[in-house]
Amino acid sequence: MNIPAHLKYTKDHEWVSVDGDIATVGITDFAQKELGDIVYVEVETLDQTLEKDEVFGTVEAVKTVSDLFLPVSGEIIEFNDSLERTPENVNTDPYGDGWMIKVKIADASQLDELLDSEAYKNLIGA
């Protein structure tokens, strides 16, 4: 199980990478394995400002559809549109080419509420 130490995590299995006031968000290796083959990623919240824990999109696998929850409040400023052509990147490279959105962080203190890699490992029993 790949759980990079430099990322932050949510209890809903999203990961967060922070660069200044921009957060890149995707789903974890654990989440993509649980979902199975990803066939579609939908984000209709581009250019919208959402609160922490609001649904920013959905990920569709062969057998299920799951909501994606925003880990920090902010404006969705970018969607990884390559996922429209190759949604399987979420499976093959969840922390790289499989990233989903970029968010302009509204409240950086919310980052402190996220899990570090050790806490996330404990959450999933890794």
Side-chain angles (χ1 to χ4, degrees):
M1 186 80 45
N2 186 9
I3 305 171
H6 69 283
L7 300 176
K8 296 282 194 175
Y9 299 89
T10 70
K11 292 178 181 169
D12 295 310
H13 310 290
E14 284 89 18
W15 60 264
V16 181
S17 173
V18 179
D19 184 10
D21 64 348
I22 305 298
T24 302
V25 179
I27 64 170
T28 65
D29 190 33
F30 174 83
Q32 68 82 18
K33 285 180 179 161
E34 290 291 306
L35 288 167
D37 293 337
I38 308 278
V39 294
Y40 189 68
V41 177
E42 180 175 58
V43 173
E44 294 185 347
T45 53
L46 189 61
D47 299 325
Q48 294 181 26
T49 298
L50 301 177
E51 294 299 313
K52 178 182 187 298
D53 298 327
E54 280 194 84
V55 173
F56 72 81
T58 57
V59 60
E60 183 176 338
V62 173
K63 296 181 183 176
T64 189
V65 176
S66 291
D67 287 336
L68 298 165
F69 299 96
L70 197 61
V72 292
S73 299
E75 180 185 358
I76 313 290
I77 59 170
E78 189 175 343
F79 168 63
N80 182 358
D81 58 10
S82 72
L83 296 179
E84 291 177 349
R85 296 178 305 282
T86 54
E88 63 273 11
N89 285 350
V90 176
N91 291 116
T92 59
D93 192 11
Y95 303 113
D97 291 338
W99 68 274
M100 295 179 175
I101 61 167
K102 292 192 179 185
V103 179
K104 184 167 179 38
I105 301 168
D107 181 358
S109 71
Q110 292 176 338
L111 295 168
D112 297 333
E113 300 168 23
L114 300 175
L115 305 173
D116 64 15
S117 60
E118 288 305 312
Y120 185 70
K121 286 177 189 175
N122 290 337
L123 176 74
I124 63 173

